[in-house]
Amino acid sequence: MSVTTPAPVRAPAHAPAASPRRRRRIRASTVVMTVGVTVATLVALLPLFIVLFTAFKPTSEVNAFPPTLLPDAWTTANFERIFSDLPFTRLIGNSFVFAGGVTLFAVSFDALAAYALARIDFRGRKLLLVAIVATLMIPFQATLVPVYQIVSDLGWVNSFAGLIAPRAADAFGIFFLRQFFVALPRDLDNAARIDGASEFRVFWQIILPNARPAVLTLAIFVFVNNWNDLLWPLVFTTDREMGTITSGLTQLTGPGGIVPYGVMMAGSLVAVVPLVFAFMLVQRKFIESIATTGLK
């Protein structure tokens, strides 16, 4: 008795083509999404365009009514004034030292604290985490005066130590990195400990490379927030030479206390340029680190 085997079923060589109606629907949705993204992008960039064009306007056009977007007479006088009326080069350097120093210390200490809270079992760990998260509910203004008193008692007013030290760690950064560290597989550090690796080696060679996307994200946020911060350097520096770009622009006043908005827009535009270059330098590594997460 012979048994016949069914003939193998072959898959079609080509998938069936989409119907004309479906193709029109896809094209219509693509056009709508493209238009929506373009409009949203233009709305988001509108303030930057206003800053850009106002920086090249003479004072008469800046104060004119009704206002215009494009200047009739382009001028660079506003940029010349920010360097003549302010020690602008020094202010840019101070901003780099302040924002860069805070970023370096905050990311380092936040990562170490987050590693301890996420990967090391010790008594009171959960209570300590709750206490750290609870500090996020305290308004920044409520702690400003006590922190200033401590900095003043230490003699750190008008110094980089007074600007950087109080921000050398951040509750949000600790919580943010801790949540990322918890998601990493425990087998990574357990295998390293079995091989005799110390806790710091596990942190430095195992956990930190796999957490590169989170670390870079936190570094970008910390740097941008401190670069753009106005209140902190305005309170902790009274010397004009120790100010940052944001606090230095507040010193610009015209005759009769009139604010020269064209000059301030020029200073703001110059202040944005380093942020753009910093993001362009980090963006490639940031995207690569996200793409390779979990492959190591």
Side-chain angles (χ1 to χ4, degrees), residues 115 118-120 184-194 197 199 202-203 206-207:
Y115 173 78
R119 317 296 286 194
I120 301 177
L184 295 177
R186 282 271 185 176
D187 295 339
L188 296 175
D189 42 338
N190 289 337
R193 292 190 185 95
I194 293 174
E199 287 295 336
V202 172
F203 164 75
I206 305 297
I207 301 299

Side-chain angles (χ1 to χ4, degrees), residues 195-274:
D195 291 339
S198 62
E199 287 295 336
F200 183 78
R201 186 177 179 183
V202 172
F203 164 75
W204 185 257
Q205 295 185 352
I206 305 297
I207 301 299
L208 208 57
N210 285 279
R212 190 179 302 172
V215 173
L216 286 177
T217 302
L218 180 62
I220 292 173
F221 277 118
V222 173
F223 184 84
V224 172
N225 288 338
N226 285 277
W227 180 275
N228 293 329
D229 197 351
L230 170 63
L231 183 59
W232 189 267
L234 201 61
V235 171
F236 288 87
T237 58
T238 57
D239 187 0
R240 193 180 189 186
E241 297 291 328
M242 280 301 301
T244 60
I245 294 179
T246 53
S247 63
L249 291 177
T250 61
Q251 304 173 15
L252 291 172
T253 54
I258 300 175
V259 178
Y261 291 105
V263 182
M264 293 194 69
M265 294 301 103
S268 301
L269 187 62
V270 175
V272 169
V273 173

Side-chain angles (χ1 to χ4, degrees), residues 13-288:
H14 300 284
S19 61
R21 180 180 299 177
R22 186 175 180 181
R23 287 199 299 268
R24 287 195 298 268
R25 189 182 306 165
I26 294 175
R27 286 197 294 266
S29 61
T30 303
V31 171
V32 171
M33 292 178 62
T34 303
V35 172
V37 170
T38 303
V39 172
T41 303
L42 292 176
V43 171
L45 292 178
L46 181 60
L48 183 59
F49 288 147
I50 295 175
V51 171
L52 174 63
F53 296 134
T54 304
F56 290 95
K57 287 182 180 180
T59 305
S60 58
E61 291 189 32
V62 173
N63 300 325
F65 186 83
T68 58
L69 181 61
L70 296 175
D72 293 332
W74 295 74
T75 179
T76 59
N78 296 324
F79 293 92
E80 297 172 1
R81 184 174 171 184
I82 62 175
F83 286 97
S84 62
D85 293 2
L86 293 173
F88 205 70
T89 304
R90 177 64 184 270
L91 298 180
I92 293 176
N94 293 344
S95 295
F96 270 111
V97 174
F98 167 54
V102 172
T103 301
L104 177 63
F105 284 105
V107 172
S108 300
F109 291 146
D110 290 352
L112 289 170
Y115 173 78
L117 292 172
R119 317 296 286 194
I120 301 177
D121 296 326
F122 59 91
R123 183 176 299 178
R125 181 181 64 172
K126 293 183 179 179
L127 182 61
L128 181 59
L129 177 62
V130 171
I132 292 174
V133 174
T135 60
L136 294 173
M137 305 178 186
I138 302 175
F140 164 71
Q141 294 80 4
T143 60
L144 186 60
V145 174
V147 171
Y148 179 82
Q149 186 63 48
I150 296 174
V151 171
S152 179
D153 293 341
L154 293 173
W156 287 355
V157 178
N158 290 320
S159 68
F160 290 118
L163 287 171
I164 297 174
R167 293 193 165 186
D170 179 66
F172 170 77
I174 295 174
F175 177 74
F176 175 75
L177 292 180
R178 186 259 177 191
Q179 296 302 109
F180 196 92
F181 290 167
V182 168
L184 295 177
R186 282 271 185 176
D187 295 339
L188 296 175
D189 42 338
N190 289 337
R193 292 190 185 95
I194 293 174
D195 291 339
S198 62
E199 287 295 336
F200 183 78
R201 186 177 179 183
V202 172
F203 164 75
W204 185 257
Q205 295 185 352
I206 305 297
I207 301 299
L208 208 57
N210 285 279
R212 190 179 302 172
V215 173
L216 286 177
T217 302
L218 180 62
I220 292 173
F221 277 118
V222 173
F223 184 84
V224 172
N225 288 338
N226 285 277
W227 180 275
N228 293 329
D229 197 351
L230 170 63
L231 183 59
W232 189 267
L234 201 61
V235 171
F236 288 87
T237 58
T238 57
D239 187 0
R240 193 180 189 186
E241 297 291 328
M242 280 301 301
T244 60
I245 294 179
T246 53
S247 63
L249 291 177
T250 61
Q251 304 173 15
L252 291 172
T253 54
I258 300 175
V259 178
Y261 291 105
V263 182
M264 293 194 69
M265 294 301 103
S268 301
L269 187 62
V270 175
V272 169
V273 173
L275 296 181
V276 174
F277 279 106
F279 180 76
M280 291 175 63
L281 291 175
V282 175
Q283 125 178 320
R284 185 173 182 179
K285 293 183 178 180
F286 178 69
I287 296 175
E288 288 177 356

